[in-house]
Amino acid sequence: MGTELSPVKSAERTVHILETLAASPTKLTLSQIQERMGYPRSSLHALIRTLRELKWVESDESGSAFGVGPHALLSGTAYLDRDPALPYAHAALEDLRAEIGYTVHYARRDDGSVLYLASRDARESKHVVSRVGRKLPAHLTALGQALLAQLTTDEIDKILPPELERFTEHTIASRAALHDELDVVRNRGWAIEREQGTPGVACIAATVDYRIPATDAISCSMPAALATDAEVARVSAAVSQATSTLAALLRRHGIR
């Protein structure tokens, strides 16, 4: 039985190595990877050497710190290229940005996180790092809260971690408080978060209901100082209309 499980364990560890490296903003040493993952140093070294040879992992000039390699990008790009909803989502984001003037995002829920699949920055934005391909905890984003609100309390509790990560002093880190907020989202039809994920930024999001429960959502990011009641009402109406129009278009084209 041990022999049968060994390839499965190796595959699982390989995926976890890639996820750990992808989640880190900087390259990690073998010791740092071991500390985060808890795997034996010898097996980590062998797996990383193999991944490096296959170009899924690359090292720095010293060969002592590692990050994801070019073949990881090829795999991620293939996912985006083959998603039938994304061409329509790109057009929807372009139209929405033109209407409201702020940065807009399209994301998909991945268990208790949201994965950013497309973004369009506000034209005057100085933001230079794309969020596409990045993953954030669902509980602290408007995108995630809109998508979590589609689930039952039991379903939410199963996919969220035992402790909710806090990014800022405004992050909802209490499970009870999060469930209360999700009730508000369900009744209102859209989500808003103010500085829960990023200081100085407010986001409004609504789900794209071409699947049940919805897996995708669109959000708008704006400076928190500009998120007055009137501006929130204007932007939420625009985001809700954009998601409703996109969902109808996707259903009409048979995309599920």
Side-chain angles (χ1 to χ4, degrees):
M1 183 176 293
T3 303
E4 293 177 358
L5 289 176
S6 182
V8 175
K9 283 186 177 180
S10 294
E12 183 177 309
R13 288 180 177 179
T14 298
V15 171
H16 286 169
I17 288 171
L18 291 172
E19 290 179 338
T20 299
L21 294 178
S24 174
T26 59
K27 287 183 169 63
L28 301 175
T29 65
L30 192 62
S31 295
Q32 289 172 322
I33 298 171
Q34 183 184 23
E35 181 181 347
R36 297 185 186 199
M37 303 183 65
Y39 295 153
R41 188 180 181 90
S42 57
S43 62
L44 273 178
H45 187 271
L47 287 171
I48 288 175
R49 184 178 67 246
T50 300
L51 288 169
R52 187 179 176 188
E53 291 170 355
L54 296 173
K55 298 184 179 180
W56 280 80
V57 164
E58 62 181 12
S59 67
D60 62 3
E61 293 181 0
S62 69
S64 61
F66 307 92
V68 290
H71 284 194
L73 173 62
L74 293 174
S75 178
T77 301
Y79 175 81
L80 295 176
D81 289 344
R82 294 171 186 170
D83 191 298
L86 279 183
Y88 301 99
H90 288 152
L93 292 184
E94 291 283 1
D95 291 344
L96 182 59
R97 179 182 63 173
E99 179 182 355
I100 61 178
Y102 297 119
T103 297
V104 290
H105 304 288
Y106 187 87
R108 181 165 295 156
R109 186 175 64 79
D110 179 22
D111 291 330
S113 302
V114 288
L115 177 63
Y116 287 79
L117 301 181
S119 292
R120 292 293 184 273
D121 283 343
R123 299 195 186 281
E124 70 278 8
S125 174
K126 296 179 181 178
H127 178 74
V128 294
V129 180
S130 173
R131 276 197 176 181
V132 174
R134 296 180 183 273
K135 192 160 70 169
L136 287 175
H139 70 276
L140 56 79
T141 68
L143 288 161
Q145 291 174 12
L147 289 164
L148 289 176
Q150 297 258 321
L151 306 177
T152 67
T153 299
D154 287 343
E155 289 171 334
I156 294 166
D157 286 337
K158 285 180 182 178
I159 62 174
L160 291 183
E163 294 187 8
L164 301 182
E165 188 175 1
R166 184 184 291 277
F167 273 38
T168 75
E169 62 179 333
H170 301 289
T171 301
I172 297 177
S174 157
R175 201 171 284 262
L178 177 63
H179 285 307
D180 288 344
E181 179 63 24
L182 296 181
D183 281 338
V184 174
V185 173
R186 292 183 187 102
N187 292 328
R188 186 173 53 207
W190 48 271
I192 180 170
E193 61 88 1
R194 299 174 188 266
E195 302 185 272
Q196 291 187 40
T198 305
V201 176
C203 291
I204 294 169
T207 55
V208 183
D209 297 325
Y210 71 108
R211 293 171 176 157
I212 301 175
T215 59
D216 302 0
I218 287 176
S219 74
C220 162
S221 299
M222 69 179 76
L226 298 182
T228 62
D229 289 347
E231 189 66 345
V232 167
R234 181 183 79 91
V235 171
S236 62
V239 171
S240 297
Q241 183 59 56
T243 54
S244 177
T245 300
L246 177 57
L249 183 61
L250 293 175
R251 289 195 300 268
R252 189 158 64 245
H253 285 273
I255 299 173
R256 293 290 189 269

